[in-house]
Amino acid sequence: MTVQYEEIGKRLRAFRLGSGMSAEEVARRIGISRTAVYRFEKGEVVKIEALTGLADLLNVSLATLLGVEIEYIPSAVTYFERLRQLETEANQIIVLAGPISFLLASDTFHEALERLLKESVPEGADHRERTLADIDRIVEILHERKRNYLSRRPTIVNLMSAHDIVRLLRSGFVGQPFVPPDDLEERRARARHEVMHFIELIESEPIGIQVGLITGTLPHTSFQIFRKGDAKTLSISPFRLGEQPNVRLGVATITNTSEAIALHEGIVDQMWREALKGREAANYLRGLLEAVDRENGRITN
């Protein structure tokens, strides 16, 4: 196995961010210099003794840091940082991630995201203050992901679920079980605005973006496939950003194993064949909007 120190460095940085520790604290606790920590994260050669110490401190397996088979990621901070790293080099991204794809979402969605994520943390949650601090870091990473996407413009294939979109339109963007009626109407209006954003995106037929709308049932687990030349990476995640967000609990995985990637590519191929596309998808979404508007007693022009 060829040791890819640059990839190890990326994982080290992601897991350090997820731990909440600074480079100074990591260096102090394993007895190396802060400069050494930064060098390791930039991809310089790291001794196995130091790597073992880092793995123990960051509560991650040595195999995960080395990228052997599967990375197991219990932190949303770590997971979104790893996505940022993968997106920095990918030339194609295939996305199945709930009703809203983050990279393609509107500016309005991004502006409201921090509030939405923070309200999803229950008052009595364990380590609540730590989770709220994590959300600050997540939002910073997400902004960097969006800037990177707008700069590089990799090809995106986005699969959306009509069932998820209807649920979003009915419930609105909410991060807690009970929302006052006036506030709920505003949340539903934001959801409606976001669906309109995707309708307009589909109708504009931008170069490098393909959207498929699935009217049947889709897997509940989100996944993405990143392609860089012949290299492929699969991420599977329980973390959600939009409808009923979750950045607290779950274990994401990232892998380069050919079997896992081939199986998920087969799912993508099947869903893409069944998906509505282009004008047909946009018209279907408009029909969903009108149906939910009638349910809510809203009069549209």
Side-chain angles (χ1 to χ4, degrees):
M1 179 185 70
T2 301
V3 178
Q4 298 179 318
Y5 290 104
E6 184 177 350
E7 297 302 317
I8 292 173
K10 291 176 182 178
R11 296 185 194 98
L12 279 173
R13 172 180 166 79
F15 278 96
R16 177 177 64 76
L17 291 176
S19 74
M21 287 187 282
S22 65
E24 291 85 349
E25 184 176 358
V26 168
R28 177 178 56 79
R29 292 180 64 172
I30 67 170
I32 61 176
S33 69
R34 179 186 64 178
T35 302
V37 174
Y38 285 131
R39 287 206 311 267
F40 294 160
E41 290 184 357
K42 288 180 179 178
E44 293 191 16
V45 175
V46 51
K47 293 181 179 180
I48 191 64
E49 296 84 358
L51 195 59
T52 300
L54 286 163
D56 290 341
L57 177 62
L58 298 175
N59 195 30
V60 59
S61 72
L62 186 59
T64 289
L65 285 185
L66 290 171
V68 179
E69 294 191 350
I70 300 176
E71 301 173 41
Y72 294 99
I73 305 174
S75 160
V77 176
T78 300
Y79 177 69
F80 289 120
E81 170 63 14
R82 289 291 287 127
L83 292 194
R84 186 196 67 77
Q85 295 168 357
L86 291 167
E87 289 164 355
T88 298
E89 299 182 343
N91 49 41
Q92 184 190 56
I93 306 170
I94 300 172
V95 182
L96 173 65
I100 299 300
S101 170
F102 170 74
L103 293 181
L104 300 181
S106 71
D107 292 340
T108 302
F109 175 76
H110 292 179
E111 291 165 2
L113 186 54
E114 181 175 358
R115 172 192 171 193
L116 180 64
L117 295 180
K118 287 188 173 180
E119 79 171 17
S120 72
V121 184
E123 289 291 336
D126 289 344
H127 312 296
R128 187 170 190 273
E129 291 305 314
R130 163 67 188 277
T131 302
L132 293 176
D134 282 350
I135 288 172
D136 290 336
R137 285 190 287 272
I138 288 169
V139 170
E140 292 175 4
I141 293 168
L142 294 176
H143 285 328
E144 182 59 30
R145 286 179 60 197
K146 184 69 171 183
R147 285 192 293 269
N148 174 66
Y149 167 69
L150 293 174
S151 173
R152 295 188 65 248
R153 297 285 185 179
T155 299
I156 290 185
V157 177
N158 183 38
L159 291 159
M160 306 175 70
S161 163
H163 288 286
D164 288 348
I165 291 169
V166 169
R167 189 172 63 241
L168 172 64
L169 290 169
R170 286 172 172 164
S171 65
F173 284 116
V174 295
Q176 55 186 323
F178 300 105
V179 175
D182 290 345
D183 195 11
L184 180 59
E185 185 59 28
E186 189 270 335
R187 305 301 185 92
R188 287 171 173 166
R190 277 200 277 133
R192 192 180 192 282
H193 175 274
E194 199 61 32
V195 175
M196 278 301 306
H197 166 76
F198 273 85
I199 290 173
E200 292 166 359
L201 180 70
I202 293 169
E203 290 178 335
S204 68
E205 299 182 339
I207 295 174
I209 297 175
Q210 296 176 285
V211 177
L213 179 67
I214 310 297
T215 59
T217 303
L218 284 183
H220 287 291
T221 303
S222 298
F223 68 84
Q224 299 186 62
I225 299 173
F226 303 87
R227 292 175 174 168
K228 177 189 174 184
D230 293 332
K232 301 175 185 178
T233 302
L234 167 71
S235 73
I236 304 173
S237 172
F239 302 119
R240 297 185 303 274
L241 294 177
E243 184 250 355
Q244 299 178 3
N246 167 45
V247 292
R248 282 200 319 126
L249 302 170
V251 178
T253 58
I254 293 178
T255 181
N256 296 310
T257 57
S258 58
E259 181 181 14
I261 292 170
L263 289 171
H264 284 79
E265 285 181 324
I267 294 172
V268 169
D269 289 344
Q270 179 179 344
M271 289 190 294
W272 187 253
R273 288 194 301 271
E274 298 173 359
L276 304 180
K277 307 170 190 75
R279 180 66 61 178
E280 188 177 13
N283 289 341
Y284 194 96
L285 286 175
R286 289 188 185 278
L288 296 182
L289 274 177
E290 292 171 2
V292 176
D293 282 345
R294 287 194 295 271
E295 284 183 7
N296 295 334
R298 182 186 289 119
I299 300 174
T300 60
N301 295 324

